[in-house]
Amino acid sequence: MLLSPYATLGDRLRIGVLIGWCALVLAFLVLPIFVPVPLSVNSEAFFTFPLAGFSWRWYEEVLGSDQWREAIWHSIVIAIGATVLATGLGTLAAIGLTNPRLPARRVIMGILISPLIVPVVITAVGAYLFYARFGLASTFSGIILAHTAVASPFVVVTVGASLANFDRALMNAASICGARPWTAFRRVMLPAILPGVLSGAAFAFVTSFDELVISLFLASADQRTLPMQMFTGLREHLSPAITAAATLMMSLSIVLLIVADRLAHRGRRD
Amino acid sequence: MPVQASETDALVRFVGVQKSYDGHTLAVRDLNLDVNRGEFLTLLGPSGSGKTTTLNMLAGFERPTRGEILLAGRPVDRLPPYQRDIGMVFQNYALFPHMSVAENVAFPLSVRRVARAEAEQRVKRALATVRLEAFGDRRPGQLSGGQQQRVALARALVFEPALVLMDEPLGALDKKLREHMQIEIKLLHEQLGLTVVYVTHDQSEALTMSDRVAVFHDGEVVQLGPPDTLYSRPRTPFVAGFIGENNLLPGRCETVEGAGATIRLQDGTMLHATPVGAVAPGARVVVAIRPEAIRLAETGDNVCRALVRSVIYLGDHQRLICDVANGATLTVKVPPGPGATAGETQALAWSAVDCLAFAADASTDATLNEEWNA
């Protein structure tokens, strides 16, 4: 498509350079993400190419050991909790922030988005010191709350974007038709912004599921999450099991984002 | 309260209603207005005159800063829109895009928990009323503007509200369709015995459809009355200029005798006019003459000579743009046929009854300026 059937030598050269450049970018920025995938099915305990042979043994180790299984379970529980909270709060915040009558909208938006901008170490230290006072350090609730803080901005942004195309007169119309605020939200606004809510929720889940720094500060051994398990695995005994765990995590994230995208598109067609 | 309600036939009463959005400027100043049962009342005015704010307060989307609104004798200040049982048609239809036409129309019934079978019957009837029986399964996006507006009407009528509000419902339609819909809405109003409060900035729409018109200007009702009264007996120069067409000329009152007054225009021309309200000798006035009240004749209460600048042919009548000696322009509406040609001097005559003189004030000057800038 890039080249016309009558391309000159110059055109071919330019396209060639462009393709080469894109290949370099992909190679150095995206390819490293997929390096653990082949290693996870390596039959030998070496992090080297070429692979010695094919084997599921590292997956068996991850899914078979109590330590790994517990970490996966913790991560799922925390991610679901954070997703529910972040989606609820983020959606409410986005609705409020798109109300033209709300004063200081930009300032409030900035504050809500700040966990994305502030270095995560600072968020983690702050959360640890603050939550310790309320007995929330080393508890699932504490980790879920802190993850909610870093996951909500995604929901605020995606829901805010879908609200930008939502005609607020529809809410007045629903109200004068006799719908109470909750009914009007559920039957008129929610269907319109559902794509944004779903993709926000998917981002929130993935954010919490992959989160390491906050968990390191707030979680004790009883709440060890999957990223923490991988991190200690890397430090203590370098086992290819972490490549299997990484592949599993990556697959889950990709599947989630695809599902959210599909749902969003179906919502738009309706 | 019940005593009050039975005393009057008013379905809606605005009592001393004020509205300010920012605490300084008043969008609505001091509104006292009754809407009678079965009446088609139009709130007419330019944008920013307070008519839409008034409608939004009646719907419950806005709360009055001061004063009270009574619906069927009951104050509704604390009543949210969803408890007011008012039907409403919005300017841009405000149909729910993800629902079918039938689902849109059924919405007010389903939130009222009307049984499914009955709801289906009523939706069918409402769609039949607006002649869209065959379109129930379509999405609003698949309909034309006029059809969407009819769906909006059906949705507003399906739960049989006593009161229906319409906020410039025909503004987005083209001229032919708009005129057609005006007649349809008017017929529905008569058939169903509805009380309608209609907002528009289009004076011809207001004249066509209404039983009474409230003319809004700067947050106040400047005149309230049936269309013919507003047209023939405007009380202020603003109403004279806003409803129909009028030639407005500034001048000064010389004498007042009974129902007549003599007015001196800026160039010294003397006119016999009918004063409206209090006009004292020596006061600055604005004189209003309808284009159709001016004849091509040598005799009458007022006669002046004018140069016909151009003749515009409009089928059922023709319009002459005439320059009068004092630099003012008069528009004259005469029957078609030979009578005047551009470039010649004509004698124009009109009677004192058709020549209204209003006391001038600052807002009159603004009206005149608008007139001249237009």
Side-chain angles (χ1 to χ4, degrees):
Chain A
M1 295 309 133
L2 286 168
L3 275 177
S4 80
Y6 311 106
T8 63
L9 184 65
D11 286 339
R12 286 170 197 279
L13 218 62
R14 270 206 303 272
I15 295 297
V17 169
L18 179 65
I19 290 174
W21 169 250
C22 291
L24 273 176
V25 170
L26 287 177
F28 277 86
L29 298 188
V30 181
L31 194 61
I33 298 172
F34 293 97
V35 166
V37 178
L39 290 175
S40 71
V41 290
N42 196 355
S43 57
E44 295 299 327
F46 302 123
F47 287 90
T48 52
F49 290 99
L51 304 176
F54 181 87
S55 147
W56 289 114
R57 60 185 278 210
W58 309 117
Y59 286 90
E60 280 159 20
E61 188 178 325
V62 168
L63 296 173
S65 86
D66 285 345
Q67 217 177 10
W68 280 100
R69 275 217 301 246
E70 206 179 63
I72 292 173
W73 176 241
H74 289 165
S75 273
I76 289 175
V77 168
I78 290 168
I80 288 175
T83 303
V84 169
L85 275 180
T87 307
L89 293 174
T91 302
L92 288 177
I95 292 170
L97 285 168
T98 48
N99 186 341
R101 286 195 195 178
L102 182 76
R105 286 196 285 164
R106 285 166 164 270
V107 177
I108 298 171
M109 184 73 174
I111 292 170
L112 291 182
I113 298 295
S114 61
L116 282 186
I117 301 151
V118 175
V120 69
V121 179
I122 294 178
T123 310
V125 174
Y128 176 71
L129 294 175
F130 189 83
Y131 289 166
R133 296 231 150 195
F134 297 94
L136 285 167
S138 307
T139 65
F140 280 106
S141 315
I143 302 169
I144 288 174
L145 284 181
H147 279 189
T148 302
V150 291
S152 316
F154 293 106
V155 183
V156 175
V157 169
T158 55
V159 176
S162 38
L163 274 171
N165 299 319
F166 178 74
D167 178 8
R168 280 197 171 245
L170 293 180
M171 292 305 275
N172 275 350
S175 182
I176 202 78
C177 280
R180 292 177 165 276
W182 169 249
T183 313
F185 169 75
R186 193 172 51 80
R187 294 194 49 190
V188 175
M189 187 187 267
L190 190 58
I193 63 170
L194 196 61
V197 175
L198 288 175
S199 52
F203 274 115
F205 188 92
V206 171
T207 302
S208 165
F209 200 71
D210 293 351
E211 208 288 324
L212 173 64
V213 181
I214 291 173
S215 308
L216 280 179
F217 273 86
L218 279 174
S220 63
D222 290 340
Q223 294 99 32
R224 185 187 293 257
T225 65
L226 184 56
M228 285 169 75
Q229 174 68 24
M230 289 168 71
F231 188 64
T232 38
L234 273 174
R235 271 196 323 192
E236 287 158 16
H237 47 279
L238 200 57
S239 150
I242 63 161
T243 62
T247 308
L248 287 173
M249 277 180 79
M250 201 158 35
S251 314
L252 181 70
S253 300
I254 290 170
V255 166
L256 256 179
L257 291 175
I258 289 174
V259 167
D261 191 58
R262 280 289 155 81
L263 287 173
H265 276 290
R266 205 174 66 184
R268 217 162 297 147
R269 250 202 316 273
D270 272 358
Chain B
M1 279 305 153
V3 181
Q4 245 186 359
S6 61
E7 268 174 9
T8 164
D9 208 23
L11 179 62
V12 178
R13 307 195 72 177
F14 290 90
V15 185
V17 170
Q18 252 185 29
K19 175 69 186 178
S20 173
Y21 289 101
D22 55 6
H24 307 293
T25 48
L26 290 172
V28 171
R29 283 172 195 280
D30 178 30
L31 182 64
N32 292 286
L33 178 65
D34 284 6
V35 185
N36 297 325
R37 259 174 229 283
E39 177 177 41
F40 197 116
L41 177 78
T42 296
L43 314 183
L44 172 69
S47 56
S49 60
K51 57 190 194 305
T52 299
T53 303
T54 301
L55 197 74
N56 284 341
M57 286 191 289
L58 181 50
F61 304 145
E62 302 285 351
R63 281 178 69 172
T65 315
R66 194 174 291 170
E68 206 170 33
I69 300 172
L70 303 168
L71 191 60
R74 217 157 46 109
V76 289
D77 186 42
R78 308 222 155 262
L79 218 56
Y82 52 87
Q83 287 174 351
R84 293 194 181 191
D85 274 328
I86 295 175
M88 186 157 178
V89 181
F90 293 81
Q91 185 167 14
N92 297 314
Y93 323 130
L95 297 174
F96 308 127
H98 59 288
M99 299 183 195
S100 71
V101 166
E103 284 167 341
N104 262 282
V105 178
F107 187 82
L109 300 177
S110 76
V111 299
R112 284 177 173 75
R113 307 196 183 289
V114 173
R116 183 172 294 260
E118 198 202 331
E120 264 173 35
Q121 283 305 312
R122 285 166 74 171
V123 168
K124 222 178 249 174
R125 229 180 307 145
L127 283 177
T129 320
V130 295
R131 294 186 284 109
L132 283 176
E133 302 97 315
F135 293 84
D137 296 330
R138 305 258 188 111
R139 300 265 159 178
Q142 298 168 309
L143 302 182
S144 71
Q147 289 168 332
Q148 290 187 42
Q149 198 51 276
R150 298 221 295 271
V151 176
L153 258 174
R155 187 180 65 182
L157 299 174
V158 72
F159 59 101
E160 292 165 11
L163 176 63
V164 178
L165 312 182
M166 303 194 187
D167 184 10
E168 310 224 7
L170 308 180
L173 304 180
D174 63 53
K175 188 169 179 288
K176 248 208 152 70
L177 195 54
R178 198 160 65 222
E179 286 168 356
H180 175 77
M181 287 297 292
Q182 286 172 7
I183 296 167
E184 274 199 39
I185 291 175
K186 188 69 194 147
L187 284 175
L188 279 177
H189 163 248
E190 282 160 16
Q191 275 170 23
L192 305 176
L194 300 168
T195 307
V196 178
V197 178
Y198 191 98
V199 162
T200 183
H201 64 268
D202 180 344
Q203 49 93 18
S204 76
E205 194 165 287
L207 295 184
T208 315
M209 305 178 74
S210 322
D211 296 324
R212 284 196 305 162
V213 179
V215 183
F216 276 71
H217 187 221
D218 284 337
E220 277 177 315
V221 176
V222 285
Q223 191 167 357
L224 170 68
D228 55 340
T229 309
L230 291 182
Y231 191 85
S232 58
R233 293 204 301 279
R235 271 213 314 257
T236 72
F238 173 79
V239 177
F242 194 72
I243 302 215
E245 212 181 335
N246 242 322
N247 292 297
L248 298 177
L249 305 170
R252 198 169 279 283
C253 180
E254 289 285 312
T255 59
V256 180
E257 300 135 25
T262 48
I263 308 297
R264 180 192 291 276
L265 297 185
Q266 276 162 343
D267 70 331
T269 312
M270 300 296 283
L271 294 182
H272 298 282
T274 309
V276 179
V279 176
R284 292 202 303 123
V285 297
V286 175
V287 175
I289 314 142
R290 294 273 181 209
E292 68 270 23
I294 304 176
R295 291 165 290 120
L296 301 179
E298 303 275 356
T299 54
D301 296 339
N302 298 294
V303 181
C304 81
R305 304 203 71 77
L307 175 72
V308 180
R309 190 164 11 113
S310 57
V311 179
I312 302 162
Y313 176 73
L314 286 155
D316 60 340
H317 72 275
Q318 51 186 339
R319 193 166 284 258
L320 315 180
I321 314 296
C322 303
D323 289 331
V324 210
N326 61 2
T329 304
L330 284 181
T331 304
V332 181
K333 201 173 153 183
V334 293
T341 41
E344 68 175 10
T345 307
Q346 271 285 353
L348 306 178
W350 60 93
S351 74
V353 181
D354 294 326
C355 183
L356 305 177
F358 303 94
D361 57 25
S363 80
T364 331
D365 295 340
T367 310
L368 279 174
N369 281 331
E370 278 166 32
E371 199 77 11
W372 282 338
N373 291 334

